[in-house]
């Protein structure tokens, strides 16, 4: 409801401040509920997790929980989920409702919070509680919050500043991203540089077989097309010629190819109503674990998504298809010059064909390493264990 109000406010300037007041009133009400819930004690072994504001079981918190479960740690793990989301949680994780009253109780009585997004405005943290913020992206293109002061709205600035005050630990995967957290999120607390969700790229898990079996693509090479979120969903920005793409991939790399299409979860239009899917162009939007798709696929094609910076940890080929580069930069602004990145960039289907057919793997890997060195990448496959060690230290602390 709050997200819908924000989008409405951005499009209707005369209602902007009225909705902002309602947004703040929601925060005051939630604070009151958190205060009431303090009649219940904090449970030292209780951990409350959330991803995408209750929309999914995934991202960094999922991999931290997976590590906790693998170690058979004695924790009461709660995952906050919206009631209308049909998602299966693993054994050892119980579902909590992403609703005001339920959240107030679960959060107020937990020793540790783990989230990949902001907590609602008005969330009150008690003495002795510990908030681990993992965020939901890698180092990436799009500038955020304090780094775009002329573009940030009142809703986001108020909420980001509020959350930065109650967070105890930010999890980052690079020195570059740590600096962004300090500067753009107005955060002056502790940062652990490791990067949990990309441990999957260092594991022995057979995610390729899992994805092949799910989509029935065994024996075929898989390219993943994963464009980022846009407000103007359905425009020419998405008009990648899949038949031509598949032909070019087969010519350059050999074998039989299919394309998995995974649209951004914030694009709420049903993907099946937008793209024509075939046995070679497959709808993967509802596949819940993005990192498994990245680990399984041979090539990634995106535009401005941070998933590119995750994917290239594998050193597999990544291409950019961004037909609206100039307009998108004006709207969001970038941390990097997109034409200087290691990922070859195409602004139309002719250019897409050229960069695939002329792909140079030696030059690509050299450029990747230069980028890793520049950002101070810390990924090494041990991130989840490092975060879990911190959780163990905090959960055994007697400070309340």
């Amino acid at each position: 409801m709050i997200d819908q109000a924000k989008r409405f406010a951005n499009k209707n300037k005369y209602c902007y401040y009225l909705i902002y007041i309602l947004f703040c009133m929601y925060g005051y009400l939630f604070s009151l509920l958190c205060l009431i819930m303090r009649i219940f004690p904090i449970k030292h072994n209780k951990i409350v997790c959330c991803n995408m504001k209750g929309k999914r079981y995934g991202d960094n918190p999922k991999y931290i929980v997976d590590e906790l479960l693998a170690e058979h740690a004695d924790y009461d793990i709660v995952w906050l989920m919206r009631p209308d989301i049909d998602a299966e949680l693993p054994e050892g994780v119980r579902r909590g409702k992403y609703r005001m009253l339920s959240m107030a109780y679960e959060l107020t009585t937990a020793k540790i919070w783990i989230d990949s997004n902001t907590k609602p405005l008005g969330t009150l943290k008690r003495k002795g509680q510990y908030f681990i913020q993992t965020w939901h992206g890698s180092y990436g293109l799009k500038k955020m919050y304090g780094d775009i002061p002329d573009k940030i709205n009142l809703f986001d600035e108020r909420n980001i500043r509020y959350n930065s005050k109650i967070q105890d630990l930010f999890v980052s995967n690079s020195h570059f991203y740590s600096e962004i957290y300090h500067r753009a999120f107005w955060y002056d607390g502790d940062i652990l540089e490791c990067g949990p969700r990309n441990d999957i790229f260092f594991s022995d898990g057979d995610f390729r077989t899992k994805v092949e079996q799910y989509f029935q693509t065994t024996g075929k090479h898989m390219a993943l097309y994963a464009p980022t979120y846009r407000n103007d969903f359905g425009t020419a920005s998405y008009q990648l010629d899949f038949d031509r793409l598949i032909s070019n991939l087969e010519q350059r790399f050999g074998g039989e190819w299919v394309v998995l299409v995974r649209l951004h979860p914030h694009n709420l239009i049903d993907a099946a109503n937008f793209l024509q899917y075939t046995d070679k162009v497959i709808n993967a939007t509802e596949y819940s674990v993005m990192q498994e798709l990245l680990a399984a696929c041979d090539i990634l094609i995106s535009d401005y998504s941070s998933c590119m910076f995750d994917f290239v940890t594998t050193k597999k080929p990544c291409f950019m298809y961004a037909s609206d580069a100039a307009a998108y930069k004006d709207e969001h602004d970038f941390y990097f010059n997109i034409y200087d990145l290691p990922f070859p960039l195409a602004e139309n289907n002719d250019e897409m064909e050229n960069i695939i057919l002329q792909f140079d793997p030696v030059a690509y890997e050299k450029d990747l390493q230069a980028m890793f060195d520049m950002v101070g990448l810390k990924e090494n496959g041990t991130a989840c264990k490092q975060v879990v060690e911190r959780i163990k230290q905090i959960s055994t602390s007697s400070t309340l």
Side-chain angles (χ1 to χ4, degrees):
M1 182 176 180
I2 293 296
D3 291 339
Q4 293 173 339
K6 286 165 61 178
R7 287 193 291 270
F8 179 79
N10 288 334
K11 294 179 181 179
N12 299 270
K13 62 181 181 179
Y14 298 110
C15 299
Y16 188 94
Y17 289 104
L18 174 60
I19 294 177
Y20 177 69
I21 292 172
L22 295 176
F23 173 69
C24 294
M25 289 176 64
Y26 175 95
Y28 293 134
L29 177 58
F30 192 60
S31 291
L32 178 60
L33 288 175
C34 289
L35 284 172
I36 294 171
M37 293 302 170
R38 290 189 177 187
I39 63 174
F40 301 103
I42 294 174
K43 300 177 182 178
H44 280 270
N45 72 330
K46 183 176 178 180
I47 301 173
V48 174
C49 306
C50 193
N51 169 229
M52 294 293 292
K53 298 184 178 180
K55 294 179 182 177
R56 283 192 174 178
Y57 174 70
D59 215 301
N60 286 307
K62 172 197 179 300
Y63 292 103
I64 295 169
V65 168
D66 287 349
E67 180 64 25
L68 287 167
L69 295 175
E71 295 189 11
H72 304 287
D74 183 22
Y75 291 104
D76 175 20
I77 303 173
V78 181
W79 195 281
L80 297 175
M81 191 84 70
R82 299 189 182 196
D84 60 325
I85 301 297
D86 183 18
E88 184 178 350
L89 299 179
E91 185 178 352
V93 179
R94 64 181 178 89
R95 182 171 181 144
K97 291 182 180 179
Y98 193 90
R99 288 291 182 262
M100 185 182 287
L101 185 61
S102 178
M103 283 195 299
Y105 170 75
E106 299 291 3
L107 290 171
T108 304
T109 57
K111 175 71 175 179
I112 295 172
W113 307 341
I114 305 174
D115 207 322
S116 66
N117 211 306
T118 55
K119 292 297 185 193
L121 185 68
T123 302
L124 295 183
K125 192 180 71 173
R126 301 165 76 173
K127 181 180 178 181
Q129 290 186 307
Y130 197 83
F131 182 6
I132 300 174
Q133 173 61 264
T134 69
W135 208 238
H136 50 271
S138 185
Y139 62 101
L141 274 175
K142 292 170 283 188
K143 288 187 176 180
M144 296 184 290
Y145 307 120
D147 284 342
I148 45 172
D150 57 328
K151 293 182 172 70
I152 187 172
N153 61 55
L154 285 173
F155 302 95
D156 287 339
E157 181 173 354
R158 176 77 181 272
N159 208 20
I160 291 294
R161 285 183 179 274
Y162 184 84
N163 273 259
S164 290
K165 290 180 180 179
I166 63 174
Q167 287 157 185
D168 298 286
L169 180 70
F170 241 117
V171 180
S172 165
N173 74 342
S174 63
H175 182 65
F176 178 83
Y177 214 15
S178 298
E179 291 181 339
I180 291 175
Y181 286 146
H182 281 311
R183 183 182 64 247
F185 286 65
W186 301 281
Y187 176 72
D188 59 4
D190 191 14
I191 291 183
L192 178 62
E193 292 184 345
C194 56
R197 71 183 186 178
N198 289 343
D199 282 358
I200 190 174
F201 301 135
F202 299 86
S203 76
D204 296 327
D206 190 2
F207 299 105
R208 182 178 187 86
T209 298
K210 180 179 179 181
V211 171
E212 284 178 339
Q213 291 176 348
Y214 186 91
F215 292 108
Q216 299 182 4
T217 59
T218 302
K220 301 175 183 177
H221 297 294
M222 295 181 292
L224 177 64
Y225 175 52
T228 194
Y229 169 75
R230 286 183 177 82
N231 293 319
D232 59 344
F233 183 77
T235 68
S237 305
Y238 292 91
Q239 299 306 310
L240 180 60
D241 187 333
F242 292 111
D243 291 337
R244 189 174 177 183
L245 170 66
I246 291 171
S247 176
N248 293 328
L249 291 173
E250 292 178 346
Q251 180 179 341
R252 173 62 182 83
F253 299 103
E256 185 178 357
W257 284 78
V258 296
V259 179
L260 305 184
V261 179
R262 190 177 196 273
L263 302 179
H264 193 283
H266 282 169
N267 281 129
L268 302 179
I269 296 178
D270 184 359
N273 294 331
F274 171 63
L275 295 171
Q276 295 300 312
Y277 295 104
T278 67
D279 58 345
K280 289 192 172 184
V281 181
I282 300 168
N283 183 357
T285 296
E286 296 305 317
Y287 192 90
S288 62
V289 186
M290 177 60 164
Q291 302 310 98
E292 291 183 2
L293 294 178
L294 295 176
C297 288
D298 301 288
I299 280 175
L300 173 67
I301 301 165
S302 188
D303 41 22
Y304 318 106
S305 172
S306 64
C307 72
M308 296 186 297
F309 296 88
D310 288 343
F311 180 78
V312 296
T313 307
T314 67
K315 298 189 177 179
K316 292 185 288 190
C318 177
F319 302 101
M320 295 180 68
Y321 177 76
S323 61
D324 58 345
Y328 201 89
K329 184 180 187 303
D330 288 342
E331 182 180 353
H332 295 275
D333 210 354
F334 299 142
Y335 285 114
F336 303 98
N337 184 330
I338 58 174
Y339 299 99
D340 292 338
L341 289 169
F343 328 127
L345 170 66
E347 297 188 53
N348 55 57
N349 284 291
D350 289 338
E351 292 180 4
M352 194 74 213
E353 177 173 293
N354 289 334
I355 64 174
I356 290 174
L357 297 181
Q358 298 173 13
F359 177 71
D360 182 347
V362 175
Y364 175 73
E365 188 165 340
K366 180 180 177 181
D367 291 343
L368 280 182
Q369 189 58 53
M371 183 179 71
F372 296 158
D373 294 340
M374 178 184 68
V375 302
L377 190 64
K378 303 297 183 181
E379 305 275 8
N380 61 16
T382 67
C384 290
K385 290 186 180 296
Q386 292 184 55
V387 176
V388 167
E389 283 304 310
R390 180 68 64 95
I391 289 171
K392 290 177 181 177
Q393 294 171 12
I394 298 303
S395 62
T396 56
S397 171
S398 60
T399 302
L400 285 176

